[in-house]
Amino acid sequence: QVQLVESGGGLVQAGDSLRLSCAASGLTWRSYAMGWFRQAPGKEREFVAGLSGGPSITDYADSVKGRFTISRDNAKNTVFLQMNSLNPEDTAVYYCAARYKYGSRRYPDYNYWGQGTQVTVSS
């Protein structure tokens, strides 16, 4: 019933910007917290950014703070990740995730996941 679909990944050069989208269906949109995670080859899945349900409180990993921005469009049931000043360390598969009400930095706390979208940043 619940489905998350990411889009917007691609191949870019260092210093470029990219905007990821995650369209959600099958859930009470404003009651769910949304998160972005990423996983690079040979590494664990890590938290990138989060947005709480109800009050839209944002949370960012230190590695992306000041460069990435998470937001949501309630009319379209879509969450975005605006990524600026990209560098090769940002190369990973990016996943959208959802859980009820409260945000979290831990991926096991999330109930629903998208299929992922590849972001590759060349030097």
Side-chain angles (χ1 to χ4, degrees):
Q1 185 177 359
V2 175
Q3 187 172 2
L4 306 176
V5 181
E6 301 101 330
S7 62
L11 174 63
V12 298
Q13 294 181 328
D16 284 353
S17 296
L18 206 58
R19 181 172 177 255
L20 306 183
S21 299
C22 174
S25 62
L27 50 74
T28 306
W29 176 244
R30 295 191 66 187
S31 297
Y32 278 76
M34 305 297 298
W36 286 98
F37 292 78
R38 66 187 182 187
Q39 188 166 20
K43 294 186 177 181
E44 299 293 326
R45 187 171 301 184
E46 65 175 352
F47 171 80
V48 177
L51 189 66
S52 68
S56 297
I57 302 172
T58 58
D59 186 28
Y60 298 96
D62 289 341
S63 60
V64 306
K65 189 171 295 184
R67 298 189 298 123
F68 291 10
T69 303
I70 186 172
S71 62
R72 69 198 301 166
D73 185 337
N74 292 326
K76 297 182 178 180
N77 287 12
T78 301
V79 63
F80 304 97
L81 185 67
Q82 178 67 45
M83 304 184 293
N84 298 328
S85 301
L86 287 164
N87 58 65
E89 294 178 340
D90 297 315
T91 295
V93 176
Y94 283 71
Y95 297 92
C96 176
R99 71 186 300 267
Y100 183 67
K101 189 174 292 185
Y102 302 111
S104 175
R105 293 186 172 189
R106 303 188 304 161
Y107 69 85
D109 289 345
Y110 287 82
N111 305 104
Y112 308 106
W113 292 86
Q115 81 288 349
T117 184
Q118 176 70 48
V119 173
T120 303
V121 185
S122 64
S123 59

